[in-house]
Amino acid sequence: MSTKKNLKRKRDSGENGKPRSKKRKMENDQISSFLKPWDGPDIKIRDGQPKEQEMKNELRWEVIYNDTTDENLLKLIYLKDIISRQLPNMPKNYITRLVFDESHKSLIGIVGKDTVIGGITFKTCSRDDSPSFIEVVFCVITSLSQIRGYGSRLMNHLKKYCIDNGIYDMLTYADDSAIGYFRRQGYTLEVNLPKKHWNIGFLKHYDSATLMHCHLEKRINYLEITYELRQQREYLMELLQEYTHLHNVYSGIPFDDLDIKLARLDTLEFFLETGWDVEKFQIQMDKENLKEIYHENKELINRIKEDEVSWPFKAPVVELFPQEAEKYLQAIPDPIDLRTIEENLESGLYVTREMLLSDLQRMVDNCKKYNPKKSGFYGLAETINTKYLKDLQTHIVKVQEAQSRNLVKPQVE
């Protein structure tokens, strides 16, 4: 009984009996002292700042559960408080029940001596006849610690914990505002774990939430993956500098005050280094050539529109599927559809065949990215890709290669 009273006293007041609001201010000040601006290399590492703090022993991560000890109970109380603040629509009694449930564990981040900055509450689900997996129930970071890489570092530590314990799959239900975060952490909308292993009463289902899955690779060290990716990117950038002029910086077009004069493009060095040729450009922009390209592009669009498989692509998703609009736009930052493409064509935007094909390909890729492989929409997108785009793209590439050798004139059959 005395333990419960002590815990209640600690929860409602500070160490010296100060109101909890002042205690929170002290915690925030302590957190801020560790959250120094990250002044890293040009290719920044998402979890660079928290890793640096780990190396200085300013930040640590612990996996705890309700073992009835005062130390862990107090940490769980702090975590529950953060979850309640970050997820205000979640019932507090529900949060309390899961955080303190003995079958659930929590991975928490601690800065300084004992300041909890966030954590993940999870449950290990297993049966003798199926592989184990982790259900991520809550995942939160304090407001002061967000956008600094702590969320990524937190998830990477959970991945390491899973691999260390022989677990290679994680599932979670994410609301619309969290889908972007989980995508960045490697979760997908397509659940590749066989349904018979998880759809047996393990998971807690939530309204207006989307099930997401993350499969882990034993060979990957997730605590070092961002550094390894940066090294690969730096190596790629070095190779690009050997074969391209992307790293070169040129002075702008000179002008006197506001007397801006038109510059001849064929006199600009950076234009010429890209392979731009004034004669080819003049041929490309010839009225008869543009007219021919317009009719070919128009014919292709009409053929696709007349095909019965194109019905989900004839208008923007926000019009055809308004109930999916918000979630779709969060997952697909650059949407496009046949009606928009046709409007672009009529406005004269597509001066080449490649420009039209690029938008059509983006339309198909968006659909395949958002929808699971086994869905009907994915199949419709793949049909359009196979039936109308692949062969045409291959033909255009061959024509371009032949053009570069001055063998043939551009045409599309």
Side-chain angles (χ1 to χ4, degrees), residues 346-358:
E346 297 302 330
S347 66
L349 180 63
Y350 303 128
V351 296
T352 67
R353 302 166 182 85
E354 294 84 352
M355 292 175 70
L356 172 68
L357 283 176
S358 176

Side-chain angles (χ1 to χ4, degrees), residues 153-170:
R153 195 66 180 171
L154 171 64
M155 185 60 70
N156 286 338
H157 272 279
L158 180 62
K159 292 175 181 177
K160 183 179 185 303
Y161 171 86
C162 291
I163 291 177
D164 289 346
N165 288 272
I167 301 171
Y168 303 102
D169 293 283
M170 299 190 295

Side-chain angles (χ1 to χ4, degrees), residues 231-272:
Q231 290 176 345
Q232 293 178 16
R233 185 176 178 185
E234 288 176 341
Y235 177 67
L236 176 62
M237 295 299 291
E238 291 177 3
L239 290 179
L240 287 175
Q241 290 185 13
E242 293 182 15
Y243 297 100
T244 72
H245 302 282
L246 295 177
H247 57 288
N248 292 339
V249 179
Y250 299 90
S251 59
I253 301 174
F255 66 93
D256 298 325
D257 297 327
L258 297 179
D259 183 21
I260 303 175
K261 298 179 181 179
L262 295 178
R264 287 176 54 91
L265 297 181
D266 57 346
T267 65
L268 301 178
E269 183 182 0
F270 49 85
F271 255 83
L272 299 177

Side-chain angles (χ1 to χ4, degrees), residues 295-309:
H295 288 299
E296 290 173 357
N297 286 343
K298 181 72 172 178
E299 181 183 357
L300 176 59
I301 293 176
N302 288 337
R303 284 166 55 201
I304 296 175
K305 286 173 59 180
E306 292 169 1
D307 197 316
E308 59 182 8
V309 302

Side-chain angles (χ1 to χ4, degrees), residues 199-412:
N199 193 25
I200 48 178
F202 276 144
L203 297 179
K204 289 169 279 293
H205 295 266
Y206 300 93
D207 294 335
S208 302
T210 303
L211 182 64
M212 302 188 73
H213 172 232
C214 179
H215 178 72
L216 305 176
E217 290 290 340
K218 185 178 181 179
R219 299 169 296 173
I220 296 178
N221 181 354
Y222 286 96
L223 295 184
E224 299 292 336
I225 189 171
T226 52
Y227 286 79
E228 293 171 356
L229 290 174
R230 184 184 71 166
Q231 290 176 345
Q232 293 178 16
R233 185 176 178 185
E234 288 176 341
Y235 177 67
L236 176 62
M237 295 299 291
E238 291 177 3
L239 290 179
L240 287 175
Q241 290 185 13
E242 293 182 15
Y243 297 100
T244 72
H245 302 282
L246 295 177
H247 57 288
N248 292 339
V249 179
Y250 299 90
S251 59
I253 301 174
F255 66 93
D256 298 325
D257 297 327
L258 297 179
D259 183 21
I260 303 175
K261 298 179 181 179
L262 295 178
R264 287 176 54 91
L265 297 181
D266 57 346
T267 65
L268 301 178
E269 183 182 0
F270 49 85
F271 255 83
L272 299 177
E273 285 192 356
T274 64
W276 184 83
D277 184 277
V278 62
E279 294 182 2
K280 290 182 180 179
F281 179 73
Q282 290 173 346
I283 293 173
Q284 178 66 50
M285 300 306 293
D286 179 73
K287 289 184 178 181
E288 291 300 320
N289 185 58
L290 291 178
K291 185 177 180 180
E292 179 183 349
I293 291 174
Y294 167 82
H295 288 299
E296 290 173 357
N297 286 343
K298 181 72 172 178
E299 181 183 357
L300 176 59
I301 293 176
N302 288 337
R303 284 166 55 201
I304 296 175
K305 286 173 59 180
E306 292 169 1
D307 197 316
E308 59 182 8
V309 302
S310 68
W311 70 267
F313 307 96
K314 289 186 176 180
V317 170
V318 294
E319 293 184 18
L320 293 178
F321 310 97
Q323 70 280 4
E324 289 282 327
E326 184 175 358
K327 186 187 300 184
Y328 182 83
L329 293 177
Q330 286 182 347
I332 306 298
D334 195 13
I336 197 165
D337 58 275
L338 287 174
R339 190 172 74 192
T340 302
I341 291 174
E342 192 166 23
E343 290 173 354
N344 290 342
L345 176 66
E346 297 302 330
S347 66
L349 180 63
Y350 303 128
V351 296
T352 67
R353 302 166 182 85
E354 294 84 352
M355 292 175 70
L356 172 68
L357 283 176
S358 176
D359 275 354
L360 289 172
Q361 191 64 54
R362 173 154 58 95
M363 179 185 75
V364 167
D365 292 344
N366 285 347
C367 181
K368 293 168 69 174
K369 177 181 178 182
Y370 183 76
N371 296 286
K373 282 187 178 180
K374 296 182 180 179
S375 69
F377 292 119
Y378 189 101
L380 295 176
E382 186 58 35
T383 299
I384 291 177
N385 188 44
T386 303
K387 195 172 181 180
Y388 297 101
L389 305 185
K390 280 187 176 180
D391 292 342
L392 193 54
Q393 288 172 334
T394 301
H395 178 76
I396 287 179
V397 169
K398 290 181 179 179
V399 170
Q400 289 175 335
E401 291 176 349
Q403 274 186 279
S404 66
R405 298 190 299 266
N406 296 320
L407 297 179
V408 300
K409 295 175 64 177
Q411 62 180 11
V412 176

